[in-house]
Amino acid sequence: MIGIEDCLSEAMAIPGALGAILVDHTSGTALATEGLPDPERSAIGLSETFRATLDGLALSSPDGTIRIDDLIITTDHGYQLIKPMETMWDGPLLICVRLDRDRANLALARRRLDSISHELIAS
Amino acid sequence: MLSELAESKATGALKAGRSGTVYLSRGRVCYVECARTPTVEELLTASGRITSHGVKTARQTTAATADGGEMLVRRGVLSRGELQLCVLGATLDASFFLFGANVPKPRFREGDRHWLGIHWFFDVPGLFRECHRRRARLDRAWPSAELDSHPVVPVRRIRSRHVMLTALQWEILLNADADTTPVELARKIGRPAYPTLLAVREMAAAGLLECAESPAREKPPDLPKRVAGSAPRVATGGGGGRPAQSSFPQISGDPTDVNLLIRLRNALEAFQ
């Protein structure tokens, strides 16, 4: 069982991690961050990315509703991993990690992020 | 006053009458309560993790030591991360409504602590900055505060043929009963108030929610004041002074109205 700060430092310990941020998706608030120059802007950008993906995929899926486990975005510089976590009283939190393209192992990073999120939110 | 307390590294509770309380520890804010937003206790009971009786007992047993949060974590009611997130969320939520409100003159009680203990810190300027950002975010979603303080109700028929909702928006639509304001709705469904308000404004922008009755339009015209000594006014126009309320907009045929409507439609479409 870990707290918010441990959650971020564990995310930063993922091989190839360049920055990590915990975002409240509904309000777009940066709750905690490490290794990002402008957390507020990142928080807004990442929550908009997640929302756009949710909406877009809902439109394209046959039954119109979807649940995203995680989101992997490959950019020219590296990877962005976005994982939503359901809390018991509020919309999802997002834990987002930016990864170095040469050093990161995507499969490992996904697994680690999954276990970190389960340690943070016990449900 | 809060900034002064922060600068002097004060520890205690700044109480603004019944409106709310800001708890400080060495000049940093560790928890904020506002009468209009759900507290950590309410969020926990609404989530079903603990009964309100359980909260009361925990509160009583740990009131002196102020380590109630620790005890709840030890008992397995919630994880440490969840407790921190709950305190964090409730504090940001309460700050937004407390700092923006007209409150009675606050009084500081040195040394007062909250029974949950300290689980997260906010510096005062950062907290103000976040409130400001949230205000701007609301106005970006729908730049009218009209729905904020009035009961809302889903529109009977929507303009578009396809709607996408978040889980929170769904809950709001189900519970919008034309009697409850957005902030009261939040308490009813056990959600923080700010996200609820934001969702209401987003749905207003999408044309899904409206005021239960538009107070500006349906308010009867003010009666003229009686002058001393004058006889009671006789109703004129045989009771037909005000046209019957219709749910359809009045058609004026004025081309400026049409242009306005087209611009409005374009703006709404751009929102989606």
Side-chain angles (χ1 to χ4, degrees):
Chain A
M1 206 162 68
I2 56 174
I4 295 174
E5 277 165 351
D6 305 326
C7 156
L8 272 196
S9 45
E10 287 198 18
M12 284 301 280
I14 295 174
L18 299 171
I21 184 169
L22 194 65
V23 180
D24 177 39
H25 179 233
T26 26
S27 60
T29 308
L31 300 179
T33 168
E34 237 181 83
L36 290 172
D38 189 341
E40 283 182 22
R41 274 181 59 169
S42 304
I44 293 168
L46 289 164
S47 50
E48 288 300 323
T49 305
F50 185 73
R51 173 182 284 233
T53 312
L54 263 183
D55 287 355
L57 290 184
L59 274 180
S60 68
S61 77
D63 55 359
T65 58
I66 55 157
R67 229 182 59 87
I68 290 180
D69 261 357
D70 59 16
L71 200 64
I72 304 166
I73 301 159
T74 310
T75 69
D76 45 356
H77 299 300
Y79 304 110
Q80 277 280 1
L81 217 54
I82 304 177
K83 178 157 183 70
M85 297 181 275
E86 285 300 327
T87 58
M88 52 187 174
W89 57 84
D90 205 352
L93 294 171
L94 305 177
I95 176 158
C96 314
V97 186
R98 201 162 61 86
L99 296 162
D100 184 288
R101 194 159 175 169
D102 296 326
R103 288 190 296 131
N105 176 324
L106 260 186
L108 176 73
R110 276 191 70 209
R111 285 185 67 123
R112 290 278 285 274
L113 206 55
D114 190 53
S115 69
I116 292 169
S117 70
H118 281 109
E119 280 180 79
L120 182 69
I121 310 263
S123 52
Chain B
M1 185 161 180
L2 189 56
S3 303
E4 282 168 28
L5 287 169
E7 266 171 42
S8 62
K9 307 261 179 264
T11 297
L14 184 63
K15 211 169 163 58
R18 286 186 184 169
S19 305
T21 309
V22 179
Y23 291 88
L24 290 146
S25 172
R26 297 186 180 201
R28 289 191 294 173
V29 172
C30 49
Y31 184 53
V32 179
E33 261 177 7
C34 172
R36 298 177 66 199
T37 59
T39 59
V40 166
E41 291 93 321
E42 284 171 286
L43 292 175
L44 285 180
T45 40
S47 73
R49 290 290 181 94
I50 187 167
T51 61
S52 53
H53 178 72
V55 167
K56 208 171 151 194
T57 327
R59 186 179 193 143
Q60 280 163 355
T61 50
T62 57
T65 49
D67 62 349
E70 280 301 318
M71 194 193 71
L72 295 180
V73 171
R74 269 202 312 276
R75 278 212 216 143
V77 172
L78 74 178
S79 74
R80 183 169 312 283
E82 285 172 322
L83 177 62
Q84 288 179 333
L85 290 168
C86 196
V87 167
L88 210 166
T91 299
L92 290 176
D93 200 33
S95 304
F96 180 79
F97 289 92
L98 187 61
F99 296 166
N102 271 331
V103 294
K105 193 173 159 45
R107 288 169 60 177
F108 186 64
R109 290 179 50 172
E110 182 100 36
D112 260 18
R113 294 178 295 175
H114 192 266
W115 70 276
L116 279 168
I118 295 168
H119 302 284
W120 200 252
F121 288 112
F122 307 82
D123 66 273
V124 172
L127 206 51
F128 284 147
R129 219 170 38 240
E130 174 61 17
C131 290
H132 189 72
R133 191 194 67 79
R134 289 189 166 205
R135 169 66 53 202
R137 176 83 186 75
L138 270 188
D139 288 339
R140 234 180 23 251
W142 180 242
S144 157
E146 197 195 355
L147 272 77
D148 293 5
S149 48
H150 290 114
V152 287
V153 66
V155 296
R156 303 298 299 169
R157 184 170 285 180
I158 57 171
R159 286 172 54 91
S160 63
R161 301 175 63 170
H162 190 109
V163 178
M164 242 170 329
L165 296 175
T166 65
L168 175 59
Q169 291 174 334
W170 173 259
E171 284 178 40
I172 292 171
L173 283 183
L174 278 184
N175 287 280
D177 56 359
D179 270 339
T180 325
T181 65
V183 172
E184 291 163 359
L185 263 177
R187 176 157 278 149
K188 194 168 155 191
I189 58 180
R191 301 282 198 167
Y194 176 80
T196 309
L197 195 54
L198 183 60
V200 164
R201 284 223 195 173
E202 284 167 344
M203 286 193 286
L208 304 178
L209 265 185
E210 59 185 6
C211 279
E213 50 180 48
S214 177
R217 199 174 58 234
E218 298 197 0
K219 199 174 142 207
D222 284 335
L223 292 174
K225 280 224 171 68
R226 269 187 70 186
V227 185
S230 70
R233 212 169 278 270
V234 184
T236 48
R242 210 152 55 95
Q245 286 297 332
S246 148
S247 56
F248 294 106
Q250 286 184 357
I251 300 159
S252 66
D254 185 344
T256 51
D257 278 4
V258 176
N259 287 337
L260 179 71
L261 284 173
I262 291 170
R263 275 170 53 209
L264 198 62
R265 189 197 61 193
N266 292 345
L268 282 173
E269 280 173 359
F271 260 121
Q272 288 180 346

